Amino acid sequence: EAPELLDAIAGEAAPRVGEFSSQGLSMTAWAYAASGRPAPALFDSIAGELAPRVGEFSPQGLSNAAWAFATANHTAPSLLDAVAAQAVARHTELDARCLTATAWSLAVLDMGGNGERGTGGAARFARRFGGWLDSRAAELSHESLCQLHQWRLWRAEERRRSDGLPSAPLLAQAAAAFGATRTRQSEIQSSVGEALAALDTWPSRERLRSGRTRPGRAPATWPQVARGGGAIAVRLHARLAPAGGG
């Protein structure tokens, strides 16, 4: 990585986004999201320029744009509503991967649930997504199933909405896929592990718990630590690698 170069490019590109094609803007956002380098001014400029141009996107371009902003954790309600509205209008053109990546992205940015950001396209997408996915169940990859499970956690548990959910068998398949996914250790997990080691205290086991959690995070983990004849539990969250976006 070259953070100084990325920052310089972002600074030059932000005031000139009007010169980019829609695909160029989407790919620029995707590249910065994938790099993990923050570029808030660039993302703001891209969002403002792209929102009225989403009709020019291919189906994959729609999901890529949504994925980029979600992965960068950059809220852009007007753009994401426009992307979702296009996905609703063109849902027969979107394959299962594009649909689940879009749903995951909207959930990460908390759009389309129960009165929070996004009451237009994002809300319509959330209400219809499950029905579309049932007819495409055979297309779902492991990654898409994991995205579906994270969307379900947000939709049903955080937003308390039951409309828009796919069938129970498909939800069970998604939960099983998510439960089998290996997570990446987060910085806080590493720090807690180092602190416990310094105290000569070692975790005896770690249990995944699929309770309520925001999309993009794995279930909470509870390392049970033996110390002084008793045990304590330390609740942590492991960050999942960003889903989709190829």
Side-chain angles (χ1 to χ4, degrees):
E1 293 185 12
E4 295 83 3
L5 177 60
L6 289 173
D7 291 346
I9 293 173
E12 288 290 326
R16 301 175 60 183
V17 292
E19 302 173 27
F20 287 64
S21 67
S22 296
Q23 182 179 3
L25 288 172
S26 179
M27 291 308 298
T28 300
W30 185 93
Y32 272 85
S35 76
R37 187 66 181 173
L42 177 60
F43 272 81
D44 282 339
S45 296
I46 290 175
E49 185 67 28
L50 275 185
R53 295 165 60 179
V54 293
E56 303 171 13
F57 284 176
S58 67
Q60 184 170 338
L62 290 171
S63 63
N64 281 352
W67 179 90
F69 277 78
T71 300
N73 198 28
H74 191 97
T75 57
S78 296
L79 173 61
L80 271 294
D81 254 345
V83 166
Q86 279 290 312
V88 171
R90 299 166 56 189
H91 68 90
T92 57
E93 301 175 32
L94 275 67
D95 61 18
R97 190 194 70 81
C98 290
L99 284 171
T100 53
T102 301
W104 177 88
S105 301
L106 294 172
V108 168
L109 295 175
D110 203 18
M111 293 188 60
N114 189 24
E116 73 295 339
R117 290 188 299 272
T119 57
R124 294 197 302 275
F125 180 93
R127 289 194 297 269
R128 301 176 187 180
F129 165 67
W132 299 331
L133 211 58
D134 276 328
S135 64
R136 295 169 170 81
E139 303 173 21
L140 290 169
S141 66
H142 177 84
E143 179 182 46
S144 293
L145 287 167
C146 290
Q147 290 174 329
L148 170 59
H149 182 67
Q150 291 178 87
W151 178 83
R152 197 279 303 173
L153 290 175
W154 167 79
R155 181 72 171 168
E157 298 193 21
E158 286 208 18
R159 290 297 155 196
R160 303 293 187 182
R161 298 293 295 264
S162 59
D163 54 325
L165 297 179
S167 65
L170 184 53
L171 290 177
Q173 185 181 355
F178 187 78
T181 300
R182 294 184 63 85
T183 60
R184 185 174 68 209
Q185 188 176 47
S186 66
E187 290 183 13
I188 190 171
Q189 283 179 307
S190 298
S191 297
V192 169
E194 291 169 2
L196 291 173
L199 295 171
D200 197 27
T201 304
W202 303 94
S204 59
R205 64 190 176 95
E206 186 171 54
R207 178 168 62 89
L208 285 177
R209 179 186 177 193
S210 58
R212 294 168 64 186
T213 183
R214 289 294 302 275
R217 291 190 179 275
T221 61
W222 297 79
Q224 184 167 312
V225 179
R227 182 171 177 80
I232 61 171
V234 182
R235 185 179 188 182
L236 305 172
H237 283 279
R239 180 80 179 179
L240 284 178

